[in-house]
């Protein structure tokens, strides 16, 4: 057994182990990765076929409750985060496993670090010995006046499929059969209006989409309260948008920055046209840099609130059942 | 001729509407060559121009300034101004600012830093209220707890009680299954609460409760009032209807009906803390006897906490009054009574933070027996908190002269509330709004974090603010 660990360690040092570095995953066009260290977390366990987790909507955020060691409270379901992110206000004294560099999630150099959680549970779903990032999430709390212990990212669900019904405020976590499918009896909707594969790179879900003639890879982010488009990489698309407004915002550290909000007419994902899509134009250069990627555009609440969606992390398949069926063929 | 006039008026009206629509359509924002282009038609209305300026994030320029050709503020912000034909102005701004300080996480863009007051799903203050159940599914137990009941649903796997009383928790309050349904017992203070049941993940209002409320963000919630007062009118066994009305409901005599009991009439309800006058109406006539007395304003009731205001000494004074935020600083309104050693007056106050002063023969003074002070409009007043929901403590600082507390609850006013020394600690109790509170202490002018509270977060000065969450 010990020799197995030795060989695994050796493989890691040689950079051969598949999880050791995102640099070995072939990136999709326009998406740049930097090497990151990702340690595999132990398997989750729990006695359920489909776990039903009600959530509350706070603004356009999906807030579910979880127990992390001795603390119970609110977490944001955030597919833009690779794993668990804990709010520094409440986890400042957690053990420091590794200090992060300056380009942490909050973009500030002061003390973002990696820690280890002994136990995390969401009802009957359990995780032991999870790694987590600890950083300042005070901005979410102050913007929404809700206590947020952290973010729950995609790595928690890689063995499952998750279905989110935004209208009914409920999340389903499905165990999958041997073929990686949700058992027929457990499906929330029988037939999907959209079924499309996605790329899962560095624990981020990328969906291929078209906006007019432009083909884009969108990071799918339930933590984004609107769609986001990188201005510099999408100037043609930006020029075709109906501009609705410009906002000056205060960023981390007090510096102000600007964003432009607008609307583009048609977004095609998985063969389905979504009309009148709201989006924010900004610079996404640093967005998600903590997770080791840069991205052209992100699909947020404006997109995913249009239907019940399922992300099957095993089959790498995205499905959506659209609420407003006027435009469904 | 009359017909011609009518046509002319209609024609002019149409021209006006078309012009207006044309102006509106010519006001426009677009992107071109890395610039934000803003077109403004000077024939537009003030409202139309103000609206597009606001959309463009221009806050320091008004429509009037645009009409007068005052563009200095815009130029200072980097806008270039160009006059096109026919009263059309073009403003353009380089989009280079989009690259400045790009943000690393989406929530930075969507969540403004300022703590918001409004909390959808949390009913605001109401002066009074009572329940209206088709079948009573929420009631008080002898233990003082409140029981919520969901009938039936014997096939459900999990039912959760979620409401404003538990921060709309989606997991903390799991109901217990019984033979007839599901129950959950919780402790509630008098007041109004919004709630829902979550039956196997499905959010539902209480189908047996006729009271519900929209929360302003698309949800409907059931409402429950935890009672704290009973109006009673003895006698009148032959009356057909008895109502009560007071200044809490604008003396509306058709709103609150009393129920017949074995020796009179009564009604339980929630009544917010305060001082009220009320009267009864029996079979359509105001009654002048019994509890209502002969005072046309009716009977008085005081709900809240009785504060014993005391001032030692001044025994030779002729008149001592109290004035404060609770009576809008009216000087000759609350008269203290003389005692053997000074002056005293018991006064009922609702939960809250109050400032006050004594007025001794016309001379205003702070309460010498109360160390806690607060400032208002440059005046230092005595401070009292009724039914505080948080006590702040700062340890040490034995040589400090003045320690104040400042935070989001007083918009970070520097002349905030003064703490009192209690042994090794400095303390102050406050009544705070539920939600997040950021604060700091000011020790003889020096801002410091709370050394008895581990929770703090970084601020824009990199000096941190202490954090406390106040429960509902």
């Amino acid at each position: 057994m010990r020799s197995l660990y030795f060989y695994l360690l050796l493989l890691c040092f040689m950079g051969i182990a598949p999880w050791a570095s995102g640099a070995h995953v072939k990136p999709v066009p326009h998406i740049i990765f930097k090497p990151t260290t990702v340690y595999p977390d132990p398997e989750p366990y729990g006695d359920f076929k489909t776990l039903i987790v009600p959530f509350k909507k706070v603004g356009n955020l999906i807030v579910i409750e979880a127990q992390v060691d001795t603390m119970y409270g609110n977490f944001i379901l955030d597919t833009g985060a690779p794993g668990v992110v804990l709010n520094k206000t409440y986890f400042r004294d957690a053990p420091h496993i590794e200090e992060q560099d300056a380009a942490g999630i909050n973009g500030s150099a002061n003390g973002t670090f990696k820690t280890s959680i002994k136990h995390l549970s969401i009802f009957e779903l359990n995780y032991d010995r999870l790694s987590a990032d600890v950083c300042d999430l005070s901005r979410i709390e102050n913007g929404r006046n809700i206590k947020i212990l952290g973010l729950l990212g995609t790595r928690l669900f890689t063995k499952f499929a998750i279905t989110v019904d935004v209208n009914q405020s409920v999340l389903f976590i499905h165990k999958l059969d041997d073929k990686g499918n949700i058992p027929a009896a457990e499906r929330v909707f029988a037939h999907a209006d959209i079924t499309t594969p996605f790329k899962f790179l560095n624990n981020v879900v990328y969906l291929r989409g078209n906006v007019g003639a432009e083909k884009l890879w969108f990071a799918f982010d339930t933590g984004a309260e609107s769609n986001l488009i990188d201005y510099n990489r999408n100037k043609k698309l930006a020029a075709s948008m109906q501009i609705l407004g410009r906002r000056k915002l205060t960023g981390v550290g007090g510096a102000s920055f600007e964003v432009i909000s607008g609307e583009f007419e048609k977004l095609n994902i998985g063969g389905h046209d979504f009309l009148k899509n709201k989006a924010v134009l900004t610079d996404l250069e640093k967005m998600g840099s903590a997770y080791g990627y840069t991205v052209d555009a992100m699909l947020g609440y404006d997109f995913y609130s249009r239907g019940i969606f399922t992300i099957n992390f095993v089959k790498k398949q995205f499905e959506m059942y659209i609420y407003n069926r006027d435009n469904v063929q | 001729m009359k017909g011609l006039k009518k046509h002319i008026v209609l024609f002019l009206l149409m021209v006006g509407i078309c012009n207006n629509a044309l102006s509106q359509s010519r006001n426009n924002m677009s992107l071109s060559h890395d610039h934000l282009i803003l077109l403004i038609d000077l024939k537009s209305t003030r409202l139309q121009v103000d609206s597009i300026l606001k959309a463009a994030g221009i806050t320091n320029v008004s429509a009037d300034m645009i009409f007068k050709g005052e563009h200095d503020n815009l130029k200072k912000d980097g806008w270039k101004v160009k006059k096109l034909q026919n009263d059309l102005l073009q403003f353009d701004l380089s989009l280079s600012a989009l690259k400045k300080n790009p943000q690393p996480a989406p929530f930075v863009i969507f969540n403004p830093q300022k703590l918001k007051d409004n909390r959808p799903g949390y009913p605001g203050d109401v002066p009074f209220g009572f329940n209206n159940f088709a079948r009573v599914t929420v009631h008080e137990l002898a233990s003082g707890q409140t029981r919520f009941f969901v009938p039936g649903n014997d096939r459900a796997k999990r039912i959760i009680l979620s409401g404003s009383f538990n921060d709309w928790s989606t997991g903390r309050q799991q109901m217990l299954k019984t033979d007839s349904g599901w129950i959950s017992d919780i402790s509630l203070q008098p007041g109004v609460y919004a709630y829902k049941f979550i039956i196997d993940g499905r959010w539902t209002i209480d189908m047996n409760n006729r009271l519900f409320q929209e929360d302003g963000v698309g949800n409907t919630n059931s409402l429950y009032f935890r009672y704290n007062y009973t109006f009673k009118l003895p006698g009148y066994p032959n009356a057909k209807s008895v109502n009560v009305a007071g200044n809490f409901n604008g003396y509306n005599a058709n709103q609150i009906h009393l129920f017949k009991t074995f020796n009179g009439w009564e009604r339980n309800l929630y009544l917010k803390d305060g001082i009220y006058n009320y009267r009864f109406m029996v079979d359509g006539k105001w009654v002048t006897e019994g509890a209502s007395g002969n005072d046309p304003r009716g009977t008085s009731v005081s709900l809240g906490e009785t504060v014993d205001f005391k001032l030692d000494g001044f025994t030779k004074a002729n008149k001592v009054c109290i004035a404060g935020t609770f009576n809008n600083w009216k000087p000759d309104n609350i008269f203290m009574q003389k005692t053997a050693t000074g002056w005293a007056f018991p006064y009922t106050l609702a939960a809250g933070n109050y400032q006050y002063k004594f007025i001794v023969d016309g001379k205003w003074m702070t309460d010498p027996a109360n160390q806690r002070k607060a400032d208002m409009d440059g005046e230092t007043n005595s401070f009292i908190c009724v039914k505080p929901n948080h006590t702040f403590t700062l340890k040490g600082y034995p040589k400090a002269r003045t320690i104040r507390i400042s935070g989001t609850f007083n918009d970070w006013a520097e002349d905030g509330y003064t703490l009192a020394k209690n042994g090794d600690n400095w303390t102050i109790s406050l009544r705070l709004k539920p939600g997040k509170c950021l604060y700091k202490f000011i020790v003889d002018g020096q801002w410091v974090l709370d050394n008895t509270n581990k929770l703090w977060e970084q601020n824009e000065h990199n000096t941190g603010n202490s954090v406390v969450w106040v429960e509902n």
Side-chain angles (χ1 to χ4, degrees), chain B residues 333-390:
Chain B
N333 181 243
I334 305 169
F335 295 90
M336 295 186 82
Q337 291 151 358
K338 217 168 196 173
T339 64
T341 54
W343 298 80
F345 190 74
Y347 193 66
T348 303
L349 289 171
N353 303 313
Y354 300 97
Q355 298 184 36
Y356 68 96
K357 270 184 170 165
F358 294 127
I359 313 163
V360 181
D361 287 337
K363 194 182 169 194
W364 294 69
M365 60 181 287
T366 54
D367 183 347
N370 185 357
Q371 282 188 60
R372 291 177 178 86
K373 304 277 190 292
D375 287 87
M376 185 185 258
D377 303 329
E379 280 282 317
T380 300
N381 305 308
S382 294
F383 171 79
I384 193 167
C385 178
V386 175
K387 294 186 182 174
N389 54 5
H390 191 78

Side-chain angles (χ1 to χ4, degrees), chain A residues 67-104:
Chain A
Q67 177 90 36
V68 171
D69 293 337
T70 57
M71 292 196 80
Y72 180 87
N74 298 317
F75 286 81
I76 292 167
L77 179 72
D78 185 2
T79 58
V84 178
V85 180
L86 299 173
N87 191 350
K88 199 171 176 184
T89 302
Y90 313 105
F91 293 91
R92 182 169 276 110
D93 298 330
H96 291 226
I97 305 297
E98 183 185 311
E99 303 302 319
Q100 303 285 83
D101 61 20

Side-chain angles (χ1 to χ4, degrees), chain A:
Chain A
M1 194 66 184
R2 277 190 176 182
S3 58
L4 179 65
Y5 280 134
F6 172 75
Y7 285 119
L8 281 173
L9 263 172
L10 195 65
L11 285 171
C12 286
F13 280 118
M14 291 167 72
I16 296 172
W19 64 75
S21 169
H24 293 275
V25 183
K26 192 182 174 190
V28 291
H30 314 299
I31 298 166
I32 305 153
F33 287 93
K34 70 172 186 180
T36 54
T37 313
V38 179
Y39 303 101
D41 289 318
E43 298 269 312
Y45 58 95
D47 184 17
F48 63 89
K49 286 179 185 169
T50 294
L51 187 66
I52 302 173
V53 184
F55 61 77
K56 51 199 165 201
K57 275 179 284 187
V58 179
N60 292 339
L61 295 169
I62 294 171
V63 176
I64 63 178
E65 292 177 13
Q67 177 90 36
V68 171
D69 293 337
T70 57
M71 292 196 80
Y72 180 87
N74 298 317
F75 286 81
I76 292 167
L77 179 72
D78 185 2
T79 58
V84 178
V85 180
L86 299 173
N87 191 350
K88 199 171 176 184
T89 302
Y90 313 105
F91 293 91
R92 182 169 276 110
D93 298 330
H96 291 226
I97 305 297
E98 183 185 311
E99 303 302 319
Q100 303 285 83
D101 61 20
I105 185 174
N106 65 353
S108 64
N110 45 17
T112 293
F113 63 94
K114 207 173 257 302
T115 190
S116 175
I117 295 167
K118 282 184 192 147
H119 187 79
L120 184 149
S121 62
I122 306 165
F123 290 123
E124 284 81 19
L125 174 59
N126 295 281
Y127 300 83
D128 292 330
R129 287 179 289 118
L130 278 175
S131 61
D133 293 319
V134 179
C135 52
D136 184 355
L137 300 177
S138 57
R139 176 167 283 267
I140 309 184
E141 287 194 336
N142 297 342
R144 295 280 173 238
N145 205 356
I146 180 173
K147 188 173 183 177
I148 295 292
L149 296 186
L151 315 174
L152 300 180
T154 51
R155 216 161 61 229
L156 290 178
F157 307 111
T158 50
K159 304 290 177 194
F160 304 108
I162 60 168
T163 297
V164 176
D165 186 340
V166 181
N167 277 5
Q168 299 298 320
S169 296
V170 61
L171 159 76
F172 301 87
I173 302 172
H174 309 276
K175 279 188 180 169
L176 303 171
D177 64 19
D178 295 344
K179 291 177 182 167
N181 293 314
I182 302 170
E186 300 293 322
R187 285 182 66 88
V188 177
F189 47 88
H191 301 288
D193 296 317
I194 297 172
T195 302
T196 185
F198 63 79
K199 300 260 184 200
F200 193 55
L201 304 173
N202 272 22
N203 296 301
V204 177
V205 173
Y206 290 96
L207 288 170
R208 187 75 159 148
N210 294 350
V211 181
E214 304 286 313
K215 287 184 176 159
L216 297 172
W217 282 99
F218 290 93
F220 180 74
D221 188 348
T222 55
E225 296 194 63
S226 173
N227 300 324
L228 289 167
I229 292 173
D230 183 87
Y231 172 71
N232 292 311
R233 291 193 207 100
N234 300 287
K235 288 187 180 176
K236 255 191 193 175
L237 165 60
S240 71
M241 283 173 69
Q242 186 193 345
I243 302 305
L244 301 174
R246 164 179 165 260
R247 277 186 300 154
K248 279 184 187 173
L249 300 169
T250 306
V252 173
S256 71
F257 67 104
E258 283 183 24
V259 295
I260 304 273
S261 59
E263 187 176 282
F264 57 94
E265 189 54 33
K266 206 182 273 184
L267 163 73
N268 188 291
I269 301 279
H272 182 84
D273 284 336
F274 294 87
L275 305 178
K276 296 197 177 302
N277 302 277
K278 298 253 185 329
V280 169
L281 284 167
T282 183
D283 183 350
L284 295 180
E285 186 91 20
K286 273 196 181 172
M287 189 73 72
S289 60
Y291 315 135
Y293 66 85
T294 55
V295 62
D296 291 350
M298 300 171 97
L299 291 177
Y301 183 83
D302 186 77
F303 169 71
Y304 72 74
S305 62
R306 293 175 185 236
I308 307 171
F309 67 87
T310 297
I311 309 171
N312 185 327
F313 287 96
V314 172
K315 290 198 89 172
K316 311 280 186 290
Q317 195 173 64
F318 178 89
E319 291 184 322
M320 188 180 255
Y321 177 87
I322 293 163
Y323 291 129
N324 181 355
R325 313 197 53 76
D326 296 346
N327 299 315
V328 177
Q329 303 283 313

